[in-house]
Amino acid sequence: MSNLLLKSVIILNQASEFHNKRVDVRLTNGQITEIGKDLEVDGETEVFDLEGQFLAPGFIDLNANFGEPGLETKEDILSGSKAAAAGGFTGVALMPNTEPAVHSKAEVSLIMNRAKENLVNVYPLGAISKNREGKDLAELYDMFLSGAKAFTDGNRPVADAGLMNRALLYAKGFGGVIFSYPEDRSIGGSAKMNEGVTSTILGMKGMPALAEELMVSRDLFLAAYNDAPIHFSTITTSGSVALIREAKQRGMKVTCDVAAHHLVFTDDFVKGFDSNFKVKPPLRTEADVEALKNGLSDGTIDAVVSQHTPHEIEFKNVEFEIASYGIIALQTVLPLALKAGLAPDLIVEKLSVGPRKALRLPQVGFSVGEYADLVVFDPQAEWEFGVKTNYSRSGNSPLFNQKLKGKVSFVCNNRQYYLP
């Protein structure tokens, strides 16, 4: 890239002196070289008229699944990164749900090498246990030295309290963070959806909120015992929000996130047996959705994530009972956040600022001389999410072939820019 001028953008970044101001931003080979009003244009400058759109630090996703290594037919790093950039993400934390699992420095190094020279920064999350089996600790410190930013067993909860206790204590020693996926499988079992009125009407086995809240409570006790930081992935219930809110008020080092689809959809959407609404944790009730939104507003919930989970058609185009869990979501986080009623400044807080804090990444300041890590988005623009606009290898989304409101217009990172 050479000389670019972003015209008439409104900066949303509390770390910047230009916060909430409408300005022009000049980029020279990826570096911010000038910020001000009515900047001059010469013949070598490429101008982007972004009148009234918001410019913010690039979004960071704390929960995405790419298939590489081993499951590249679902998603590889290249296709996943394209989908991430189209969604406004300049950084993506990858779950270790691969074959083999990301449980040693070999897998971490492979991912880091494959993601080199990419617009999107890829942050591998190492497995807590070997093969994600929940029995023995994986090589946490070796993975940390190789580039793993945090540790989680992905979509598998750590059932053994002793193992989780050791992981929290060990990771604390070298500055690592443990991500907990809160689900007590002895309670949840083989549930396909939320336990409640709708599951009773449909005659489908439901997962009670208790299955999540028991694990949140357990891991809060363990984190407090070790005075260790902990992050909870994709909380969904009002009880979980209350437990984490209380823990924060007590001064605990706890953060958490919520998936964008849990802010919009409820278990009522399962009534049509569309397997694209089969996610895990399951869609909950309207009361839970309201509690999650309140948790975002009051600071209890630190981040909104995609929980991007691609699948080949044969895993989703089947009966609801046997379909795989998950949806593709990197490109639809912004529209869903807007549909949930989140204001642009809160969206930036939960997609840009909060995730960086959770991963212990430096914040973006937008000062002259810095290299750009930014996204420009238009909350009013409409677009259709479909075959022509989907950059993922998979198409398992309940929003496919629908018009969505909220569009990413420009992304810049690592001296590269992208126009979705």
Side-chain angles (χ1 to χ4, degrees), residues 106-141:
E107 294 84 25
V108 173
S109 297
L110 182 147
I111 292 171
M112 296 292 287
N113 286 331
R114 289 283 289 141
K116 275 182 179 178
E117 299 180 1
N118 200 341
L119 182 150
V120 177
N121 297 321
V122 171
Y123 305 113
L125 301 181
I128 293 173
S129 64
K130 293 179 181 177
N131 296 314
R132 299 194 301 128
E133 292 175 349
K135 296 178 181 178
D136 301 302
L137 271 184
E139 302 170 1
L140 304 190
Y141 187 56

Side-chain angles (χ1 to χ4, degrees), residues 81-398:
S81 295
K82 285 182 178 178
F89 293 95
T90 58
V92 178
L94 297 186
M95 289 288 155
N97 309 339
T98 51
E99 293 181 4
V102 182
H103 63 166
S104 74
K105 64 181 180 181
E107 294 84 25
V108 173
S109 297
L110 182 147
I111 292 171
M112 296 292 287
N113 286 331
R114 289 283 289 141
K116 275 182 179 178
E117 299 180 1
N118 200 341
L119 182 150
V120 177
N121 297 321
V122 171
Y123 305 113
L125 301 181
I128 293 173
S129 64
K130 293 179 181 177
N131 296 314
R132 299 194 301 128
E133 292 175 349
K135 296 178 181 178
D136 301 302
L137 271 184
E139 302 170 1
L140 304 190
Y141 187 56
D142 280 352
M143 288 190 284
F144 181 77
L145 293 179
S146 298
K149 291 295 182 182
F151 305 95
T152 172
D153 272 354
N155 59 359
R156 294 180 184 175
V158 178
D160 189 318
L163 180 65
M164 178 59 89
N165 187 60
R166 291 190 293 276
L168 286 163
L169 182 59
Y170 184 39
K172 172 190 172 183
F174 57 80
V177 181
I178 297 297
F179 280 27
S180 169
Y181 172 65
E183 177 194 338
D184 188 324
R185 288 192 171 175
S186 67
I187 300 290
S190 58
K192 308 300 179 184
M193 64 173 297
N194 178 58
E195 181 184 87
V197 174
T198 304
S199 66
T200 303
I201 293 171
L202 298 179
M204 198 179 299
K205 182 172 175 54
M207 178 180 291
L210 177 67
E212 177 175 307
E213 292 158 11
L214 274 177
M215 195 63 85
V216 169
S217 181
R218 185 203 75 174
D219 286 351
L220 284 172
F221 272 113
L222 293 175
Y225 179 77
N226 290 289
D227 190 27
I230 190 167
H231 178 88
F232 290 98
S233 297
T234 59
I235 65 168
T236 62
T237 75
S238 58
S240 293
V241 175
L243 286 166
I244 293 169
R245 180 182 289 119
E246 182 187 6
K248 286 192 169 190
Q249 289 170 351
R250 287 189 279 116
M252 284 189 62
K253 306 166 188 174
V254 56
T255 54
C256 65
D257 64 58
V258 59
H261 47 267
H262 284 118
L263 299 173
V264 175
F265 304 124
T266 67
D267 55 0
D268 280 344
F269 283 80
V270 178
K271 288 179 179 177
F273 295 103
D274 180 350
S275 63
N276 285 318
F277 287 110
K278 185 178 181 181
V279 294
K280 199 171 189 183
L283 302 175
R284 301 291 188 180
T285 66
E286 189 63 45
D288 291 310
V289 170
E290 289 305 310
L292 293 170
K293 292 179 185 178
N294 290 336
L296 287 166
S297 297
D298 68 16
T300 300
I301 301 176
D302 302 89
V304 175
V305 301
S306 73
Q307 203 187 23
H308 179 79
T309 309
H311 289 297
E312 303 91 337
I313 190 170
E314 60 266 28
F315 288 91
K316 293 297 275 188
N317 193 21
V318 292
E319 293 86 351
F320 191 94
E321 286 276 340
I322 61 174
S324 296
Y325 298 99
I327 60 174
I328 59 168
L330 280 164
Q331 292 178 242
T332 57
V333 172
L334 176 63
L336 285 179
L338 288 164
K339 190 171 184 177
L342 274 62
D345 57 343
L346 187 59
I347 288 173
V348 172
E349 172 68 27
K350 305 305 177 182
L351 289 181
S352 300
V353 180
R356 283 183 171 85
K357 288 180 180 177
L359 271 188
R360 301 184 175 184
L361 299 173
Q363 297 293 334
V364 174
F366 288 155
S367 299
V368 171
E370 288 185 357
Y371 281 96
D373 177 351
L374 59 85
V375 58
V376 180
F377 64 94
D378 184 348
Q380 300 302 320
E382 293 187 346
W383 61 289
E384 185 171 315
F385 183 47
V387 173
K388 293 182 179 180
T389 54
N390 174 35
Y391 292 96
S392 172
R393 279 195 168 189
S394 301
N396 52 304
S397 169

